[in-house]
């Protein structure tokens, strides 16, 4: 199994919205036994898992992972317990190959479902604790110190474009006067 991770921003004028993308490839060699017949196959599958993350005025929402998969298999060989019997071995292999071809699409769907289920479960298992830990670090290192200073951090703008996440907070106490000057502009190469 090989996989790669990426984070993509999703345009939203009201929230910071992103998706964690996991793209993967699975190469396999399998042996499936059914009665006196053993099928030896090679397979290749690809999958994509998306895990949504939304930061809004209401808080952080981490969605469930959603996935897609596709696979292709190639039957390499068929072995039977009748291979040593001259006519019988050939007949059993032919019947087995026909049944294999009839069930190929159903088997492919089942493999796709298993890949999606396992990949989504694994992304959820690994990503959710990481997101929760990052949110807790942000709360402890940024939010709580501002509150302890008597400031009331209030989200004014949360927005996402295809390449930039923007969070503007008002940092002021209840009785603090504010200036009517324009806010500083972010550097052009900033992601956040």
């Amino acid at each position: 199994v090989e996989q790669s991770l990426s984070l993509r921003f999703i345009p939203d004028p009201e929230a910071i919205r992103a998706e964690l993308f996991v793209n993967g490839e699975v190469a396999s060699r399998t042996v499936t036994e059914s009665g006196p017949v053993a099928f030896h196959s090679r397979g290749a599958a690809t999958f994509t898992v998306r895990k949504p993350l939304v930061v809004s005025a209401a808080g952080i929402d981490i969605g469930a992972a959603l996935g897609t998969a596709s696979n292709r298999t190639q039957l390499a060989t068929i072995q039977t317990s009748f291979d040593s019997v001259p006519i019988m071995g050939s007949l059993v292999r032919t019947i087995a190959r026909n049944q294999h071809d009839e069930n190929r699409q159903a088997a492919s769907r089942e493999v796709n479902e298993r890949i999606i289920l396992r990949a989504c479960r694994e992304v959820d298992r690994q990503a959710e604790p990481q997101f929760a830990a990052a949110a807790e670090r942000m709360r402890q290192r940024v939010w709580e110190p501002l509150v302890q200073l008597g400031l009331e951090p209030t989200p004014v703008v949360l927005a996402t474009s295809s390449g930039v996440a923007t969070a503007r907070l008002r940092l002021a106490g209840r009785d603090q006067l504010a200036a009517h000057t324009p806010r500083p502009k972010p550097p052009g190469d900033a992601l956040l």
Side-chain angles (χ1 to χ4, degrees):
V1 177
E2 292 184 18
Q3 56 189 21
S4 63
L5 298 170
S6 61
L7 185 70
R8 297 182 188 164
F9 292 130
I10 299 171
D12 188 330
E14 312 245 334
I16 295 175
R17 188 176 298 272
E19 283 187 327
L20 175 67
F21 272 82
V22 179
N23 294 309
E25 295 180 4
V26 179
S28 63
R29 289 186 173 186
T30 60
V31 177
T32 306
E33 294 180 353
S34 177
V37 180
F39 299 94
H40 297 261
S41 302
R42 282 184 229 117
T46 59
F47 64 88
T48 301
V49 176
R50 300 181 348 250
K51 180 138 183 90
L53 171 67
V54 179
V55 178
S56 66
I60 299 174
D61 182 30
I62 302 169
L66 304 168
T68 59
S70 66
N71 78 79
R72 61 185 185 283
T73 59
Q74 180 179 4
L75 182 60
T77 60
I78 298 175
Q79 291 179 330
T80 72
S81 57
F82 297 100
D83 285 345
S84 60
V85 180
I87 297 174
M88 192 70 158
S90 176
L91 178 63
V92 171
R93 275 196 303 280
T94 302
I95 292 170
R97 183 177 303 279
N98 289 340
Q99 288 180 348
H100 175 269
D101 292 344
E102 287 175 11
N103 296 320
R104 176 177 255 168
Q105 288 183 350
S108 180
R109 279 192 302 273
E110 184 177 340
V111 167
N112 284 343
E113 290 171 6
R114 286 183 182 205
I115 290 171
I116 291 168
L117 181 66
R118 183 170 180 184
C120 288
R121 188 180 314 134
E122 190 65 21
V123 168
D124 281 339
R125 186 185 69 76
Q126 290 186 17
E128 288 187 14
Q130 297 289 333
F131 284 147
E136 182 60 22
R137 281 193 306 272
M138 182 70 87
R139 187 187 67 75
Q140 288 178 354
R141 293 180 184 171
V142 177
W143 202 266
E144 287 299 321
L146 293 172
V147 171
Q148 289 174 1
L149 289 172
L151 302 175
E152 297 174 12
T154 307
V156 176
V157 172
L158 296 171
T160 315
S161 68
S162 61
V164 177
T166 303
R168 283 184 37 220
L169 300 176
R170 181 175 49 240
L171 301 174
R174 195 167 268 162
D175 299 328
Q176 184 176 350
L177 295 175
H180 290 283
T181 58
R183 68 184 183 275
K185 295 204 180 235
D189 61 348
L191 292 177
L192 179 65

